[in-house]
Amino acid sequence: MVASSLITPDPYRLPGYLGYVPQFKFKIGSTYGRTTHDILHDPNERSSKIPYRLVDREKFTGPMERTRQAKEVGWSNPKFRGNMVPGYTGYIPKGQHYFGQCYAQSCDVALKTFEKELVVKQNDEERMRTMNRTTLRQFARPSQYPVKPREFPHGTSPYKLPSTHEEHYFVSGYTGFVPRARELLAKSYPEITNRALDIHKGDRERLARTVYHPQPPNSARVTRAKTAPPSVIYARESGLIPNYTGHVPAIKFKFGNTYGTTTVNALNH
């Protein structure tokens, strides 16, 4: 019987073969199988001098034996047989650890390994169930735990707590602004914020005594509202308010004083 010309004779590489085929990129006009067949028979190629090993077709014709038959219930699945068909896309336990063999062999070895580990696990569980266990001693739980009375409700702002209070600080991780905390270093965050709050409280008390304290009616304190009319910009007895953005004559040549002191009678200085 004459073989059909449509069938590629052995040996040849199957389409999808990812190995190296010499001079393959220079061969065009034929199928992958026919091209690789010609390359393997080309006497000028080194690969043609290497004996081509054909796979024994009767080696994997029969189903492979399993150590145990697949269970109908439990961990196993009736699909997990010894003759796994290539192309099965389901999950094979332990299958990702075995490669370099055909699909049926890899699946069989993986399932056998999984069965062995499962038997060990079942034996350990049975041993744990039959193990003598010591009864734990029960401790008497009090009916009511002592509660320390709080002078201030929980969640009170540290700004409102006295300096001697144990919670007069900000916890680590607080991202808000804490006045006077930048100048304190080399301590933990609760200690820094505690000290900063004390300094801030002292500054506020000092400011209240000096600036916001009411003065007698006959006080000699000079204010801009009393000494300069609204239409006058450069007053003689008082200076300008800081952040004034207008022009001040010769201001760039003066330094060493505050803005208000420097701008007193700015036109004549």
Side-chain angles (χ1 to χ4, degrees), residues 1 18 28 39 75 178 242:
M1 181 177 180
L18 301 179
I28 56 175
I39 292 174
W75 70 268
V178 181

Side-chain angles (χ1 to χ4, degrees), residues 66 75 80 84 88 90-121:
R66 294 285 303 279
W75 70 268
F80 294 156
M84 296 296 296
Y88 173 69
Y91 175 70
I92 302 297
K94 299 292 182 179
Q96 68 273 22
H97 303 298
Y98 297 93
F99 48 88
Q101 297 175 334
C102 66
Y103 186 77
Q105 281 184 318
S106 300
C107 294
D108 188 69
V109 175
L111 292 174
K112 287 181 180 179
T113 305
F114 182 69
E115 282 184 353
K116 293 179 182 178
E117 295 182 0
L118 186 64
V119 171
V120 174
K121 180 181 178 182

Side-chain angles (χ1 to χ4, degrees), residues 170-188:
F170 288 97
V171 297
S172 300
Y174 174 71
T175 57
F177 174 72
V178 181
R180 305 302 297 273
R182 287 185 177 181
E183 57 198 60
L184 303 176
L185 303 172
K187 290 184 179 180
S188 63

Side-chain angles (χ1 to χ4, degrees), residues 186-249:
K187 290 184 179 180
S188 63
Y189 191 78
E191 293 177 339
I192 290 177
T193 54
N194 179 270
R195 178 58 181 164
L197 291 175
D198 292 342
I199 297 176
H200 176 65
K201 184 177 180 181
D203 292 343
R204 289 177 59 86
E205 293 176 353
R206 191 181 310 107
L207 186 64
R209 290 193 303 266
T210 57
V211 179
Y212 300 105
H213 193 275
Q215 297 183 357
N218 57 351
S219 174
R221 182 184 178 189
V222 179
T223 61
R224 181 175 177 83
K226 294 181 179 181
T227 58
S231 59
V232 178
I233 298 178
Y234 306 109
R236 295 189 178 187
E237 294 82 7
S238 62
L240 297 173
I241 300 175
N243 295 329
Y244 170 70
T245 58
H247 174 68
V248 179

